[in-house]
Amino acid sequence: MSEAVQSPMKVDPVTFELVRNSLKAACAEMALVVSKTAYSVAINEGKDFAGTISDAKGNLVTQSDYDLPAFVGLSMYSTKEVVKQIGLENMEPDDIYWINDPYVASTHCNDMHFVRPVFYEGRVAAFVESTAHWSDVGGAVPGSLNSRAVTHYDEGVRLPAVRVYRKGELQRDVVSLVMTNVRDSWERMGDLNAQCSALRTGDSRLQEMFRKHGLQTVWDCMEELQDYSERMIRSALRSIPDGTYKTEDYNDQVFESGNPAAFRVTLTIEGDHATFDLSDSDETVPGSINTTIVSTTSSLFNSLGAILPPMPMNAGVMRAIDIKTRRGSICHALPPTAVSLQASSMEILVGCGVQVLSQALPERGAGTCSTILNTVFTGIDERETFGEEPFLEYVWAVGGMGGTKYKDGPSVVGTAFTATIQNIPAELQERRYPLFWRRYQIKPNTGGPGKRRGGLGLDQLCEFPFVGGQLTNFGNRAEMGPPGCFGGERGATAGLVMNEGTENERRVGLVAVNVPVSVGETLHYWSAGGGGYGDPLDRAIEDVVADVQDDLLSIANAREQYGVVMSERDRQTLDYAVDVAATDALRKELRAQRA
């Protein structure tokens, strides 16, 4: 632990709390600006964005409750990378820099980072950053999510740190270069303007803080906030028994080979320090599910926030953490390895982090969460009121969280990696795009069985009643559902089927690319459920009955998964009868079979 962390606070506690919450409020206001002004449905409705504040050296200080956790973790790299590439001495007031390089600053090329230096009294006093997922950034596949890519050249525009605003003046040549190479450039321009507007808001709020409290006081508070997080995480780590904890999980959607790719994580706790070692993970694979060191770090950063006691998640947390990888492995992909689908692997890594931490802290442990399904629909909207314009719809299906010792996992929500995103209402999608949603509901029987079951997945059925087009999709968990822990079982798997139940049924798979879709065809896709916590045979009978009453579990699954024998007396009044003697006997039999 550094001397600064052990030394007394440089500011009084009242001032510290005022500044700390003002910084957080500034991030929340940046989020509001993006949400209210961005053009993309994925951003303004889905909340696929983040806004952060870093100190004058580029160290992450804070974010708001509305910011995507994955992007917050990335900002530990992106702002510092801008500082490294541009140089503090070359920065000027009202500059804004643009970067999306996935190997040094981002998740994949779709995630656009805009960074603004905040000047006060003639020098860089802090940085504000806005990150958002753009629905398309060029490349061979609409939506830029290309599972067939071998290199990043097939995945869209890759940007080093460049000026998009110089002294407050838009650099039209840079913007034109990018917009010429992306689809639906009018929508992308709206998102760019929203993010840059958010940065101006963040700058303005920091200026107010500097004037009110003084520059040095705000700097001291930023430093203290990082020191506070370091003290918090070191205290949490000291409560864990020293030792080594191991787990592994798989991305089962490797495009060419079809074989699952293994992610192996070893956690070593030594006093108040933790080391995550991923060196035994598989080599990079053909296709785009490889993760970079940036994304790997962000994933493990988020697993810490999911399991350890609440603390401000900033650069101070990482002072107590080491991450070891093998360059060229699936956890440390190097240019030009394809990485556009690494979000599904990042969620695997978050799950691995959660599992090793759960072994170390059973009281705070959890089953593994589902992985998000990402879908892109493209074509020409031939409806008269839409002027036969091209359309590109990017949506997702969230799923179930893992169960914990005290609660069932939440259903149809973002994971620890995507906790702040929201389901995009079907009604809004139908207004913007030529699709019709026939079903948009929780999928029964998908939560991983456990004393505390995992959350349930999302079940969607859409139709193409007006026009045809193309479908691209990526996800994970088609073969192996999210693992449970401490006897909890895996959640149900995800899937995607076209024209289900007809003679034209096609099992497209979760890594579909540019699949042609004709008028009248349907798409049924569903996400995985979360893993369970604890032995399902220890689940309270009344909890099983409640799940059946709520249509979350069938009577057959209640018997098969939980050993509860019940029958329906009156569905209308939700009246079910439980055969207690038969249940006791069945549970005893199932336990004996295990033994």
Side-chain angles (χ1 to χ4, degrees):
M1 188 180 297
S2 64
E3 292 184 10
V5 173
Q6 299 179 54
S7 62
M9 292 179 65
K10 296 179 181 178
V11 292
D12 66 272
V14 173
T15 301
F16 171 72
E17 284 299 315
L18 286 171
V19 173
R20 180 174 76 89
N21 285 286
S22 295
L23 291 168
K24 188 173 181 179
C27 291
E29 193 168 351
M30 286 196 291
L32 184 63
V33 170
V34 172
S35 178
K36 295 295 185 182
T37 61
Y39 282 16
S40 299
V41 171
I43 299 176
N44 59 35
E45 283 287 337
K47 314 305 182 192
D48 199 352
F49 59 73
T52 58
I53 293 175
S54 298
D55 64 21
K57 297 178 182 178
N59 298 309
L60 175 65
V61 173
T62 193
Q63 82 279 172
S64 80
D65 295 332
Y66 309 101
D67 293 316
L68 193 77
F71 291 165
V72 172
L74 294 171
S75 66
M76 292 190 296
Y77 280 87
S78 47
T79 297
K80 281 195 165 187
E81 189 63 28
V82 166
V83 174
K84 176 183 175 182
Q85 293 188 25
I86 300 295
L88 281 173
E89 69 280 4
N90 298 317
M91 295 180 175
E92 299 178 273
D94 297 324
D95 278 0
I96 296 179
Y97 310 103
W98 190 0
I99 190 170
N100 78 333
D101 187 337
Y103 306 99
V104 294
S106 190
T107 318
H108 48 190
C109 293
N110 292 75
D111 295 330
M112 292 293 188
H113 304 253
F114 293 85
V115 177
R116 178 184 176 111
V118 178
F119 277 77
Y120 190 76
E121 295 179 346
R123 52 183 167 174
V124 175
F127 290 92
V128 287
E129 178 177 339
S130 175
T131 306
H133 178 108
W134 285 17
S135 298
D136 185 274
V137 290
V141 173
S144 312
L145 305 175
N146 185 0
S147 61
R148 294 178 179 171
V150 177
T151 69
H152 71 77
Y153 301 110
D154 298 318
E155 299 179 319
V157 177
R158 176 186 169 199
L159 297 173
V162 296
R163 282 182 174 83
V164 64
Y165 277 89
R166 183 188 294 270
K167 296 182 181 180
E169 182 178 349
L170 181 66
Q171 302 302 286
R172 298 186 183 279
D173 53 350
V174 174
V175 174
S176 178
L177 177 64
V178 175
M179 294 302 166
T180 302
N181 287 282
V182 303
R183 300 168 182 87
D184 283 3
S185 59
W186 66 273
E187 190 172 88
R188 307 291 82 76
M189 193 66 205
D191 297 338
L192 183 152
N193 289 333
Q195 290 182 256
C196 291
S197 295
L199 296 183
R200 296 185 189 98
T201 298
D203 187 309
S204 176
R205 295 298 172 263
L206 281 168
Q207 298 288 344
E208 293 172 4
M209 280 182 256
F210 294 146
R211 289 193 295 269
K212 180 177 181 180
H213 300 286
L215 179 59
Q216 189 60 53
T217 297
V218 176
W219 277 356
D220 289 344
C221 289
M222 288 181 170
E223 182 180 344
E224 175 58 33
L225 186 52
Q226 295 172 67
D227 291 346
Y228 174 70
S229 294
E230 181 182 353
R231 288 193 295 270
M232 289 284 288
I233 190 167
R234 290 191 185 278
S235 175
L237 294 174
R238 283 194 297 270
S239 69
I240 300 174
D242 283 2
T244 299
Y245 308 88
K246 297 183 178 183
T247 194
E248 66 180 49
D249 201 357
Y250 300 85
N251 191 319
D252 56 34
Q253 296 299 296
V254 181
F255 183 73
E256 282 197 4
S257 70
N259 297 319
F263 295 79
R264 300 183 179 94
V265 178
T266 299
L267 169 66
T268 301
I269 303 292
E270 295 177 302
D272 63 358
H273 188 271
T275 300
F276 289 96
D277 190 339
L278 298 88
S279 303
D280 289 336
S281 297
D282 283 356
E283 298 294 322
T284 53
V285 298
S288 310
I289 65 168
N290 308 288
T291 65
T292 64
I293 185 61
V294 180
S295 295
T296 294
T297 301
S298 177
S299 301
L300 297 174
F301 176 78
N302 281 298
S303 69
L304 294 167
I307 295 296
L308 296 183
M311 69 188 74
M313 297 300 292
N314 58 39
V317 168
M318 297 307 294
R319 297 175 189 169
I321 306 297
D322 280 333
I323 296 175
K324 295 181 179 180
T325 60
R326 189 178 72 260
R327 288 171 61 84
S329 71
I330 197 171
C331 299
H332 194 150
L334 304 173
T337 306
V339 294
S340 62
L341 308 189
Q342 65 175 301
S344 61
S345 294
M346 289 176 70
E347 290 184 292
I348 295 293
L349 286 170
V350 172
C352 286
V354 166
Q355 288 308 304
V356 288
L357 287 164
S358 294
Q359 294 171 29
L361 284 172
E363 290 291 313
R364 303 188 65 88
T368 301
C369 303
S370 67
T371 53
I372 195 170
L373 302 184
N374 293 263
T375 308
V376 177
F377 305 112
T378 58
I380 303 296
D381 194 340
E382 298 174 354
R383 293 176 295 175
E384 183 177 348
T385 55
F386 287 82
E388 297 190 359
E389 288 289 323
F391 73 91
L392 189 155
E393 179 182 16
Y394 165 63
V395 294
W396 50 70
V398 294
M401 293 276 281
T404 68
K405 182 174 182 178
Y406 304 102
K407 296 183 71 173
D408 294 338
S411 301
V412 190
V413 293
T415 67
F417 166 81
T418 56
T420 57
I421 64 170
Q422 298 181 9
N423 286 292
I424 302 173
E427 295 82 1
L428 182 78
Q429 295 181 53
E430 291 172 353
R431 289 188 63 186
R432 286 285 301 269
Y433 307 105
L435 284 81
F436 181 74
W437 296 89
R438 293 194 172 277
R439 185 162 68 240
Y440 202 90
Q441 63 186 37
I442 290 176
K443 187 171 179 61
N445 300 313
T446 51
K451 182 176 182 179
R452 300 297 182 185
R453 60 157 172 76
L456 282 74
L458 178 62
D459 184 5
Q460 300 178 94
L461 176 66
C462 68
E463 183 182 352
F464 303 83
F466 308 109
V467 300
Q470 293 178 317
L471 161 72
T472 293
N473 190 85
F474 88 88
N476 186 35
R477 302 297 188 190
E479 305 296 333
M480 295 174 282
C485 62
F486 305 115
E489 298 178 10
R490 289 181 180 269
T493 55
L496 186 152
V497 182
M498 295 198 64
N499 307 313
E500 188 175 38
T502 73
E503 60 183 15
N504 296 321
E505 179 173 306
R506 287 184 284 167
R507 292 196 169 269
V508 177
L510 295 186
V511 288
V513 178
N514 285 346
V515 175
V517 178
S518 300
V519 174
E521 292 198 289
T522 61
L523 172 68
H524 178 206
Y525 64 112
W526 61 95
S527 56
Y533 184 110
D535 190 339
L537 299 180
D538 291 333
R539 185 166 177 80
I541 293 176
E542 57 267 28
D543 291 339
V544 177
V545 173
D547 281 349
V548 174
Q549 290 174 324
D550 291 337
D551 287 331
L552 304 180
L553 186 70
S554 67
I555 290 178
N557 278 41
R559 180 188 183 101
E560 179 182 340
Q561 297 175 348
Y562 295 98
V564 175
V565 181
M566 56 189 299
S567 58
E568 179 184 304
R569 286 194 292 220
D570 187 343
R571 178 74 184 94
Q572 200 69 22
T573 60
L574 304 179
D575 186 11
Y576 295 87
V578 175
D579 188 327
V580 176
T583 295
D584 289 343
L586 179 57
R587 286 186 161 184
K588 183 178 180 180
E589 178 186 341
L590 292 173
R591 287 192 174 96
Q593 289 175 1
R594 289 180 187 171

